[in-house]
């Protein structure tokens, strides 16, 4: 449980830094969710508490934009984590700029660009990235 809560805090965040525990607790309360404290969120994230109520999990899932099953279903969590990784990548201004400029290009042109990117990643010694077609 702690690893999943920690991953959400590290991955689903504003442009600069992470959400504070107080921000998450306040947002959950303001959205009509259950009462939850910043200290309790810290304990969940750090493994000091590991048996939250279903209402707390639903509220956390809603805040972070993931399905409640994220906390129970490892296959679902893996798929969601892949999507979160993509969103985290798109926070990078330069990556987003390239993606936006590629919008509207033909599939042949996109394929050529993808091949060029893989070649440059190879030249820079970066790991090969899985594509969507390989994830299914």
């Amino acid at each position: 449980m702690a690893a999943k809560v920690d991953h959400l805090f590290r991955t689903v965040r504003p442009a600069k830094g992470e959400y504070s525990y107080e921000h998450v607790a306040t947002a959950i309360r303001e959205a009509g969710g259950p009462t939850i404290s910043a200290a309790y969120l810290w304990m969940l994230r750090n493994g000091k508490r590991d048996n939250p109520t279903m209402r707390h999990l639903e509220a956390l899932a809603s805040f972070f934009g993931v399905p409640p099953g994220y906390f129970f279903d490892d296959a679902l969590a893996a798929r969601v984590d892949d999507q979160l990784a993509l969103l985290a990548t798109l926070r990078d201004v330069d990556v987003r700029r390239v993606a936006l400029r590629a919008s509207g290009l033909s599939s042949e042109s996109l394929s050529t660009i993808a091949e060029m990117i893989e070649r440059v990643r190879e030249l820079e010694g970066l790991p090969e990235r899985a594509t969507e077609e390989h994830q299914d």
Side-chain angles (χ1 to χ4, degrees):
M1 178 66 60
K4 289 181 179 176
V5 173
D6 178 59
H7 183 72
L8 290 174
F9 269 95
R10 285 185 293 108
T11 308
V12 181
R13 59 184 183 76
K16 294 186 181 209
E18 296 179 354
Y19 288 112
S20 71
Y21 300 116
E22 190 58 46
H23 177 91
V24 175
T26 300
I28 287 172
R29 284 191 304 271
E30 288 177 354
T35 299
I36 191 167
S37 70
Y40 185 70
L41 290 171
W42 179 88
M43 287 187 277
L44 283 176
R45 185 176 183 182
N46 290 284
K48 307 294 184 199
R49 294 282 189 270
D50 61 0
N51 194 18
T53 67
M54 186 58 146
R55 289 196 61 211
H56 284 140
L57 290 178
E58 289 170 344
L60 277 171
S62 178
F63 176 84
F64 286 110
V66 300
Y70 175 83
F71 297 105
F72 307 106
D73 182 338
D74 289 338
L76 174 61
R79 287 192 305 275
V80 169
D81 286 344
D82 286 344
Q83 294 169 351
L84 293 176
L86 174 60
L87 291 175
T89 299
L90 290 175
R91 273 197 301 263
D92 182 315
V93 173
D94 292 328
V95 170
R96 192 170 52 247
R97 183 173 48 89
V98 169
L100 290 172
R101 295 291 297 151
S103 180
L105 297 176
S106 69
S107 57
E108 293 83 14
S109 293
L110 290 173
S111 180
T112 301
I113 291 169
E115 289 172 17
M116 290 171 59
I117 290 171
E118 286 306 317
R119 178 67 179 130
V120 171
R121 289 184 64 80
E122 183 181 305
L123 290 171
E124 292 191 6
L126 297 171
E128 186 175 325
R129 300 292 290 259
T131 62
E132 285 185 22
E133 60 198 21
H134 291 120
Q135 292 175 2
D136 291 340

